[in-house]
Amino acid sequence: MKKTLLAAALLTGFAGAASAQSSVTLYGVIDMGIQYQNIKSKSIHYPIGSGTADPATKTSMTNVGLTSGVQNGSRWGLKGVEDLGNGLKANFVYESGINATNGSGNNGFTRQSTVGLSSNSWGALDLGRRTSPGTYAFSGIDPFGAAFGTAALDSSFGTQFIRYSNMVMYTTPNMSGFTGSVGYSFDADLAGFAPTGTGTTLPIGAAPFAYETNNKTRVISVGLRYANGPLLLGAAFDQVNAPSSLNLNQDKVTAWMIGGTYDLKAVKLHAAYGQQNGGIIEGAGTLRSSQFGGDTNARGGVLFANGAKTQSWMFGLSAPVGGATRVFASVQQMLPGGSFDGPGVATNNQTVASIGATYDLSKRTNLYGYYSYTDNYQMLRGVSTNTVTVGIRHRF
């Protein structure tokens, strides 16, 4: 249960603000599980399309242990609202990620750090770091709730769940079920990479050019959403502009996606389709999940690759079982195209099949478990992963 913060006066640095605003709230999630993960490869090739095998790479790796942030990223945060009168409100959110397995943080409020204004009549304006318009539009379309490691939809749809820094975002009021949002980031704070001729990757936006506006990773992001009765529809478009100092043949990556759900009461149907051109936005999504845990506190990335294309699709189901249990499953694919495909290129269709369940112990605490199999992981031919996780999530 979220609690109004007179207690926040005990937190260093927030004492004055907390005592002055009765609407300030402390909230959070602690999510921890036990995970088994195995990655196998006949021969790993890197980067995508190089066709060059690394003879030192192991053909099989297994890891078992505790992991944080499976169903939801472990976090704590502060949020507050002030009524300014005439329907206008000021608000802020500061949210920090936690690795629950060892108690460490992620260097500040990097999950969300926003201040803004909102009104029922004209909508909301937020400034700072937060999830994208597309993330908002697609909320609820993934049967796995944009979580559960490789089972999450962003394994194939890079912008389905992503955060941008330095963003101005406007969201319309709800108009008969329709909402829209648009955002522009002056510097998205994505880990950006470009392929080189040496089989490595080159970080972008480095000094001495990093402080010029056109040498930052700028993003245009749009989301549309319709929710009414049993039907939910979402659409999103993102364009990530590469820093000009890198002198790439590819100066931007674009991504679009559409999806929806239909609730038949006994079961809910989920589906989505999307494309990316000029590279992969949030291309580290599946890779991040293989690095044991897939905690949603992790930073995103973008790969700029001239002529590269992908198509992605997903079908899924979710259903309540009794009063406390929910089951869900999905199959998704990411298909390489353009320079990601062709003679001599070591790629193939990535397929992810997953099933999971949650069991509520109370309104705030639940158990969960899931299994996810990935074939041709990261579109690398012959690479597969198996992941099994059980855990507990507590919200406060």
Side-chain angles (χ1 to χ4, degrees):
M1 180 183 296
K2 297 177 181 178
K3 298 184 181 299
T4 300
L5 267 195
L6 293 176
L10 299 175
L11 298 175
T12 302
F14 290 101
S19 61
Q21 298 186 44
S22 62
S23 61
V24 177
T25 302
L26 171 68
Y27 67 95
V29 177
I30 302 297
D31 182 318
M32 204 175 328
I34 301 174
Q35 184 173 85
Y36 164 89
Q37 190 167 65
N38 175 261
I39 303 175
K40 294 182 179 179
S41 174
K42 296 177 181 178
S43 61
I44 291 180
H45 299 262
Y46 69 98
I48 292 175
S50 71
T52 302
D54 178 6
T57 301
K58 291 183 178 181
T59 58
S60 181
M61 181 191 77
T62 299
N63 200 346
V64 180
L66 283 178
T67 184
S68 173
V70 179
Q71 184 177 359
N72 288 130
S74 298
R75 73 196 77 165
W76 74 276
L78 293 165
K79 62 182 179 180
V81 178
E82 181 186 10
D83 191 342
L84 302 176
N86 298 317
L88 184 64
K89 296 180 180 179
N91 59 80
F92 74 88
V93 179
Y94 282 96
E95 188 172 285
S96 179
I98 301 167
N99 182 344
T101 64
N102 61 20
S104 62
N106 68 342
N107 299 319
F109 296 95
T110 53
R111 285 184 58 93
Q112 184 165 342
S113 176
T114 57
V115 64
L117 298 171
S118 64
S119 165
N120 291 334
S121 59
W122 59 260
L125 181 68
D126 288 314
L127 308 177
R129 176 173 172 82
R130 56 156 296 158
T131 52
S132 69
T135 300
Y136 170 76
F138 254 61
S139 177
I141 292 177
D142 182 2
F144 283 83
F148 295 99
T150 54
L153 192 58
D154 71 349
S155 286
S156 303
F157 295 72
T159 55
Q160 187 269 332
F161 188 93
I162 192 168
R163 295 181 177 91
Y164 296 133
S165 297
N166 300 292
M167 184 168 63
V168 179
M169 178 172 162
Y170 169 70
T171 303
T172 71
N174 190 311
M175 297 172 287
S176 301
F178 286 96
T179 53
S181 53
V182 60
Y184 180 81
S185 170
F186 296 90
D187 184 3
D189 193 28
L190 296 172
F193 297 93
T196 72
T198 61
T200 61
T201 55
L202 176 67
I204 65 174
F209 306 106
Y211 296 104
E212 295 186 16
T213 299
N214 64 343
N215 289 322
K216 297 177 181 179
T217 308
R218 291 145 294 139
V219 178
I220 300 169
S221 183
V222 180
L224 298 173
R225 181 179 175 88
Y226 175 76
N228 196 358
L231 181 64
L232 168 63
L233 297 173
F237 172 84
D238 289 76
Q239 177 176 303
V240 179
N241 299 299
S244 60
S245 60
L246 197 58
N247 295 319
L248 290 175
N249 290 329
Q250 182 62 38
D251 61 355
K252 64 184 177 183
V253 184
T254 60
W256 63 266
M257 56 187 178
I258 56 174
T261 67
Y262 194 84
D263 194 348
L264 300 172
K265 300 301 183 182
V267 64
K268 182 182 289 187
L269 309 178
H270 303 249
Y273 176 81
Q275 294 185 6
Q276 299 196 62
N277 293 280
I280 302 177
I281 303 174
E282 187 76 341
T286 312
L287 178 63
R288 182 176 67 243
S289 297
S290 77
Q291 294 171 343
F292 209 61
D295 195 316
T296 56
N297 294 322
R299 187 185 184 198
V302 55
L303 172 70
F304 297 94
N306 188 36
K309 298 180 180 180
T310 62
Q311 297 184 68
S312 301
W313 61 263
M314 179 276 295
F315 290 107
L317 302 170
S318 62
V321 179
T325 302
R326 180 175 171 265
V327 297
F328 34 91
S330 72
V331 176
Q332 55 180 300
Q333 271 197 330
M334 182 165 60
L335 292 69
S339 59
F340 280 163
D341 198 11
V345 178
T347 60
N348 210 335
N349 298 346
Q350 174 186 274
T351 304
V352 184
S354 311
I355 186 169
T358 61
Y359 178 77
D360 293 335
L361 298 174
S362 70
K363 290 183 178 181
R364 294 186 291 153
T365 305
N366 68 274
L367 305 176
Y368 60 77
Y370 82 97
Y371 167 75
S372 182
Y373 171 76
T374 306
D375 187 41
N376 299 317
Y377 149 82
Q378 288 285 281
M379 301 187 297
L380 295 171
R381 187 179 303 150
V383 183
S384 62
T385 70
N386 285 276
T387 306
V388 180
T389 308
V390 294
I392 183 170
R393 179 187 67 163
H394 175 74
R395 293 166 289 177
F396 62 88

